[in-house]
Amino acid sequence: MKINANLSTELLNYYRQMSTEMFTVVDLETTGGKGDRDRIIEISVLQATLKDGIQQISTDLINPQIQIPEQIVRFTGISQHMVAGVDGSDQILPKYLPMLQSGVLVAHNIGFDYSFLKAEYQRLGTEYIAPKQLCTVKLSRLLLPHLPSRSLPKLVKHYDFNVGKSHRAESDAIACWLLLEKLLTQLLNANDDEILNLFGQQWLSVEDIAIILKLPLTQVEDLLTDPTIKSRFSRHRQVNLYQRKGIESLSEKIRKN
């Protein structure tokens, strides 16, 4: 499911239905940001449900068999010396596969972790696919639009989670689970209007809007000149973004016409 490209009511139903699932939360520390080039140096995977909490958790350092850049050592606290005496991914990752293939795969910015898992398992001759995924960054953007940042360390501070040092796999996996638990509980307990109002404050790209409106991009761009639709320029993405609330009002007008 392409999360942004759905109406708010569909998103609400989707997340509420998903709340009954078992979640497999993963966090990785790596030698860099590219899954096809860099390597995993630490992995932590936990499994949990909203009903019963954390059921199991496993964590391992991994010898990447390449040099860990100094900035990564400073960022994570994981040094070359710490991984020198531990096994490589060929010994560590196969034991994680049964966990990673069950439940809903969850991570904070799941595209990052998923790309590394796929690349590492591919090196081992295994195709890794997680059909069900949930990104806590995307869910945070929907439910916490008032916060200036939805980075995991900032959210740990916001909720005062007691999880230990950020940028270590086990601490971050636990933090990701606590965040997911908090957000899904909010979704289940709040009334629909309250949640839909929060969703309405999300900022959408033109590509997402085209899917929501079921219209070609060129036609969508003409419609976005409507002064009732709030917009802003994202310096990070270097594109204009448009507020979901106005887009959904526009969708309703198109549907009625």
Side-chain angles (χ1 to χ4, degrees), residues 5 29 33 36 51 80 89 113 124 147 149 156 217 249:
E29 303 304 330
D36 58 352
K51 180 183 176 184
Q80 206 73 37
S89 58
D113 299 86
L124 301 178
L147 294 183
S149 170
V156 166
L217 277 173
S249 294

Side-chain angles (χ1 to χ4, degrees), residues 11 21 45 72 74 97-98 104 127 161 178 180 188 201 212 232 241 244:
L11 289 172
E21 300 266 7
V45 180
I72 298 296
R74 290 195 300 269
L97 196 56
V104 178
E127 184 181 19
F161 294 146
L178 293 175
L180 178 63
L188 292 172
Q201 297 176 56
I212 290 174
R232 69 175 180 86
L241 301 175
R244 175 182 282 277

Side-chain angles (χ1 to χ4, degrees), residues 57-180:
I57 183 166
S58 295
T59 304
D60 279 287
L61 287 168
I62 297 176
N63 188 337
Q65 297 168 344
I66 61 172
Q67 191 70 27
I68 302 175
E70 187 56 39
Q71 66 267 28
I72 298 296
V73 175
R74 290 195 300 269
F75 186 67
T76 65
I78 300 171
S79 66
Q80 206 73 37
H81 175 74
M82 289 169 63
V83 300
V86 302
D87 290 328
S89 58
D90 59 330
Q91 298 297 315
I92 300 291
L93 290 182
K95 73 178 184 180
Y96 281 92
L97 196 56
M99 289 177 73
L100 291 168
Q101 288 179 325
S102 59
V104 178
L105 187 71
V106 179
H108 202 69
N109 187 13
I110 197 165
F112 175 88
D113 299 86
Y114 191 48
S115 69
F116 271 88
L117 290 171
K118 286 182 70 70
E120 290 280 12
Y121 279 112
Q122 187 173 20
R123 292 184 187 103
L124 301 178
T126 300
E127 184 181 19
Y128 174 64
I129 297 173
K132 290 185 177 182
Q133 301 178 23
L134 190 156
C135 180
T136 50
V137 170
K138 292 181 178 178
L139 186 54
S140 298
R141 287 174 181 159
L142 283 167
L143 287 172
L144 303 168
H146 59 289
L147 294 183
S149 170
R150 266 77 58 172
S151 72
L152 195 56
K154 292 289 178 61
L155 291 171
V156 166
K157 186 175 181 180
H158 174 73
Y159 284 114
D160 196 26
F161 294 146
N162 183 17
V163 292
K165 185 182 183 295
S166 291
H167 308 306
R168 289 300 300 267
E170 186 164 300
S171 293
D172 285 354
I174 294 170
C176 185
W177 161 246
L178 293 175
L179 174 63
L180 178 63

Side-chain angles (χ1 to χ4, degrees), residues 12-42:
L12 180 56
N13 291 333
Y14 171 77
Y15 281 118
R16 282 181 173 166
Q17 289 170 6
M18 190 169 277
S19 67
T20 62
E21 300 266 7
M22 179 180 71
F23 299 103
T24 300
V25 182
V26 61
D27 189 83
L28 307 173
E29 303 304 330
T30 66
T31 60
K34 301 290 185 181
D36 58 352
R37 179 193 67 199
D38 296 306
R39 304 300 299 270
I40 298 172
I41 55 175
E42 189 173 43

